[in-house]
Amino acid sequence: PAASPAALRPSPQSAPAIGVAGLGRIGRAVVRAALATGRVRVVAINSPNLSPAQMAYLLSHDSAPGVSAPPVRARVGADGASLDLELSSATADGAGPNSNLHASVNVRVSHCRDPREIG
């Protein structure tokens, strides 16, 4: 039998940390894949033209992955400079290949046009 996605995840401390530059179709796909697999940790998102509220909306209402993809819930963090992201695919009956998939992370956001300004 195949291992569940949760069993394949490295511990959060050992997963490499990444930053995502831009939240276009590819940036959103990277964030979703990182949350789903746990193989990397998204610690920052830089998007010069989007506010945290716009980033949260795009991640929560992304139609590119299709209806079968687990939804990402995104909220602006309490500090106004971060996003709280959550991916959960638990089904009502607890069945299915991703029934235990759950990830939650707080991500720092920035709006720098020059990558050298990102700290």
Side-chain angles (χ1 to χ4, degrees):
S4 70
L8 298 175
R9 291 183 185 180
S11 69
Q13 296 80 13
S14 66
I18 65 166
V20 176
L23 268 185
R25 185 179 68 196
I26 294 171
R28 292 191 309 268
V30 167
V31 170
R32 178 178 295 281
L35 287 170
T37 66
R39 293 184 179 157
V40 294
R41 293 179 295 128
V42 176
V43 296
I45 297 172
N46 182 52
S47 190
N49 300 319
L50 298 175
S51 70
Q54 291 169 319
M55 291 181 198
Y57 181 87
L58 284 173
L59 286 165
S60 295
H61 296 86
D62 190 6
S63 62
V67 294
S68 63
V72 172
R73 291 188 194 102
R75 296 176 299 286
V76 177
D79 61 2
S82 65
L83 294 175
D84 296 321
L85 305 178
E86 182 179 291
L87 178 94
S88 178
S89 67
T91 58
D93 61 2
N98 293 327
S99 62
N100 295 324
L101 181 61
H102 181 81
S104 181
V105 65
N106 181 272
V107 177
R108 182 175 57 97
V109 298
S110 60
H111 312 286
C112 302
R113 292 197 179 278
D114 186 347
R116 293 174 291 193
E117 295 174 8
I118 300 171

